[in-house]
Amino acid sequence: MRSFACPTCSHLVFFENFSCLNCGTELGFARVDRDMVAVGALVRCANTQVADCNWVVAPGEGLCGSCVLTRTRPADDDAAGMMSFVRAEAAKRRLVYQLDGLGLSTAGVLFDLLSSTNGPVITGHEDGVVTIDMAEGDDGHREALRVQLAEPYRTLLGHFRHETGHYYWTVLVEPDPDAFRALFGDERADYAEALQKHYAGTPAPGWEESYVSTYATAHPWEDWAESFAHYLHIRDTLQTAASYGLVVGGPDAVTTPDAPLEATPAEDPSGFSEIERTWLPLTYALNAVNRSMGKDDLYPFYLSETVLKKLRFVHNLVT
């Protein structure tokens, strides 16, 4: 996510802003411009009130390019569901912004953002429809599940990235799956049986050498979705760091080439090698900053050579 400037006074503004806190100019995000703009002759998305959406459209368009992708949402009188819906839409707007930047069309995907107030909802993907349980918008519920499943990381944005990854598998991989199968395994293995085995047992020792998460071990489809989401995590964080001019400088001591401690991220990395070279030093610094605030590591993952090959595979298809 790049840094934005107010078009009137050039003060720093953020992706979620409705106005400039310095000069008061009414602002909104214009998808066609990929920029924060003065509202002017434009109008706010029809979902401004219900989804706290700050995107703007041409008069008469109604919903913005992100909100129009939502097929189903909680009922107006479902207070808890609607609170989570607002958070979910905010995460989805970030996802759409990133997918646009990568040139990945959202024309074939829809979202069912369902409340589990009156019954269970299963987060998942099927035939281009991504379903997200709005209970995931509740911090307590989500954290309890994270602990129960022994996950190092669990966020709404992560869910959106993972589940849309399943959709893009059908677009990017399914037409020619041989290279995928050589690296991730054969996705024709029984999916339901694989998930049952995953939840009934524990990952084999040393899983970290081949997978980015324990859930990725369940089935090649999940390995792809976890890798796809992880690639989006990494790319977005690096681009944000570059946008804000974040430069990581290591100690004065000479370090070995295979353990770099200095990095200058780029907003538009030229290749995966550049991403790999700048990502690890940035995570060292960010983890140290989090620890200084008394929090856990911002990036609690280990990237083995095999995992890096999978991320490179995603990068090559996506770009």
Side-chain angles (χ1 to χ4, degrees):
M1 179 59 62
R2 52 171 285 223
S3 58
F4 296 96
C6 171
T8 301
C9 71
S10 298
H11 193 269
L12 178 68
V13 295
F14 300 98
F15 185 60
E16 294 82 8
N17 280 155
F18 281 86
S19 63
C20 174
L21 298 181
N22 183 56
C23 71
T25 298
E26 291 294 310
L27 302 174
F29 179 79
R31 188 183 187 189
V32 66
D33 299 314
R34 288 182 57 76
D35 207 351
M36 296 293 291
V37 300
V39 173
L42 299 171
V43 297
R44 296 203 180 277
C45 171
N47 257 9
T48 295
Q49 298 301 320
V50 296
D52 206 22
C53 178
N54 70 331
W55 285 24
V56 293
V57 296
E61 283 190 11
L63 293 174
C64 72
S66 176
C67 288
V68 74
L69 300 177
T70 297
R71 187 175 72 168
T72 314
R73 68 168 177 86
D76 289 340
D77 60 357
D78 182 354
M82 286 302 295
M83 185 178 297
S84 293
F85 169 69
V86 170
R87 295 179 176 179
E89 286 291 345
K92 179 156 69 69
R93 287 191 290 273
R94 281 185 168 260
L95 172 72
V96 171
Y97 174 86
Q98 186 178 27
L99 295 177
D100 285 350
L102 288 167
L104 293 177
S105 173
T106 57
V109 63
L110 293 171
F111 295 86
D112 284 346
L113 308 182
L114 305 182
S115 173
S116 54
T117 301
N118 298 315
V121 173
I122 298 176
T123 293
H125 164 267
E126 185 174 8
D127 296 330
V129 177
V130 169
T131 300
I132 305 289
D133 180 5
M134 289 298 88
E136 293 286 345
D138 178 83
D139 293 342
H141 172 88
R142 191 177 61 254
E143 177 63 9
L145 276 180
R146 187 194 69 78
V147 173
Q148 177 185 333
L149 297 173
E151 297 174 340
Y153 171 94
R154 191 180 184 93
T155 66
L156 268 174
L157 182 55
H159 282 309
F160 276 103
R161 285 172 169 162
H162 175 100
E163 299 305 338
T164 54
H166 284 298
Y167 165 70
Y168 286 110
W169 186 91
T170 68
V171 175
L172 301 172
V173 181
E174 190 173 32
D176 186 14
D178 289 347
F180 167 84
R181 289 171 182 164
L183 185 56
F184 289 81
D186 193 336
E187 82 287 352
R188 292 169 295 187
D190 190 282
Y191 180 69
E193 181 182 343
L195 285 188
Q196 185 178 16
K197 288 182 178 178
H198 170 74
Y199 286 117
T202 57
W207 63 266
E208 300 94 338
E209 294 302 323
S210 300
Y211 302 93
V212 74
S213 69
T214 56
Y215 192 50
T217 69
H219 187 276
W221 276 337
E222 298 304 343
D223 194 6
W224 159 267
E226 286 286 89
S227 299
F228 180 89
H230 209 85
Y231 173 75
L232 296 192
H233 292 335
I234 291 173
R235 190 179 182 93
D236 193 7
T237 307
L238 277 174
Q239 289 177 303
T240 303
S243 179
Y244 282 86
L246 217 60
V247 176
V248 178
D252 292 335
V254 177
T255 58
T256 59
D258 61 342
L261 292 174
E262 298 183 356
T264 304
E267 285 193 59
D268 188 19
S270 58
F272 188 77
S273 294
E274 183 177 3
I275 291 175
E276 182 180 351
R277 187 171 62 251
T278 56
W279 176 239
L280 293 179
L282 180 62
T283 65
Y284 304 152
L286 294 178
N287 285 349
V289 168
N290 254 34
R291 293 181 189 185
S292 293
M293 289 291 293
K295 298 179 70 66
D296 294 334
D297 284 350
L298 180 71
Y299 186 74
F301 296 94
Y302 165 68
L303 300 182
S304 69
E305 287 301 317
T306 300
V307 170
L308 287 170
K309 287 180 182 178
K310 291 176 179 178
L311 294 175
R312 183 183 293 271
F313 181 87
V314 174
H315 169 85
N316 289 339
L317 285 182
V318 163
T319 57

